[in-house]
Amino acid sequence: MTELEKCMAGELYDCHNPVFLEFKKTARELLAHYNTLAYDRQAEKRTILEQLFASIGTNVSVGLPFICDYGRNIRIGSNVSINMNCTFIDCNTITIGDNVLIASNVQIYTAAHPVEYAERMKADWNPADGQYFCNTFAKPVTVGSGCWLGGGVIVLPGVSIGERTVIGAGSVVTKNIPCDCVAVGNPCRVIRKINGNAL
């Protein structure tokens, strides 16, 4: 398998492989321009987002500044508002459905490292070989249609958030959250059902 194939399969991969460095370079160049544009330059912003993201629906707003790793793994539906100062680490796919509200300072992460030190660090690492000194893996994140993520929410790798769910401000989402509920806290947990559904 290539390093890119390993990454997308959720296996350990070399995040400093040239393919990823090129993805980062392209994203940084596009974002450097995007993040300087005035609020009313919507057509120019749209053109950049179409180049940056894997796919983007209609009526999408991405506030400034916006940071992402590659951009190419982000898929956004229609009627989506992403407020200012959000960070999407899209080493694997980030899929956002339709009619989604994402407040300021939301962070979505797909990349992580093994918890065990012996697995996290490369025992045979040599600075001369160009590889990163620790092991990395990435898992996809999905935010279902109709969701609202409050300010400062952090979504961790491998998480899926069900449709129409609300995640309270400041929550850290460490595991899947079902549809039609309010979930809050660190770690984030369901506190009640909404939209006519009983808990």
Side-chain angles (χ1 to χ4, degrees), residues 8 19 27 30 40 48 53-54 59 65 68 78 85 88 94 96 103 109 119 124 134 142-143 148 154 158 180 197-198:
M8 300 310 291
V19 68
L30 290 168
D40 60 355
I48 294 172
F53 295 153
N59 192 32
C68 65
S78 296
N85 206 40
F88 290 6
I94 295 175
I96 297 171
Y109 295 98
E119 297 173 17
D124 60 348
C134 68
T142 300
V143 178
W148 172 23
I154 298 173
D180 295 306
N197 295 281

Side-chain angles (χ1 to χ4, degrees), residues 104-117:
S104 301
N105 302 303
V106 167
Q107 302 166 56
I108 299 177
Y109 295 98
T110 64
H113 309 285
V115 171
E116 294 293 331
Y117 182 79

Side-chain angles (χ1 to χ4, degrees), residues 61-133:
S61 172
V62 179
L64 309 181
F66 176 74
I67 299 171
C68 65
D69 226 11
Y70 307 152
R72 68 190 309 273
N73 290 328
I74 299 172
R75 296 173 171 82
I76 298 180
S78 296
N79 304 320
V80 173
S81 175
I82 300 170
N83 214 320
M84 66 184 79
N85 206 40
C86 289
T87 300
F88 290 6
I89 304 301
D90 63 309
C91 300
N92 208 310
T93 55
I94 295 175
T95 304
I96 297 171
D98 299 327
N99 308 314
V100 171
L101 303 175
I102 297 179
S104 301
N105 302 303
V106 167
Q107 302 166 56
I108 299 177
Y109 295 98
T110 64
H113 309 285
V115 171
E116 294 293 331
Y117 182 79
E119 297 173 17
R120 186 166 65 249
M121 307 307 292
K122 292 181 178 176
D124 60 348
W125 178 72
N126 180 344
D129 69 11
Q131 290 193 344
Y132 199 46
F133 67 91

Side-chain angles (χ1 to χ4, degrees), residues 23-44:
F23 292 162
K24 286 177 181 279
K25 179 177 180 290
T26 299
R28 296 302 183 273
E29 290 171 353
L30 290 168
L31 288 170
H33 185 196
Y34 184 84
N35 286 324
T36 65
L37 293 174
Y39 182 81
D40 60 355
R41 294 174 68 177
Q42 301 302 323
E44 195 170 352

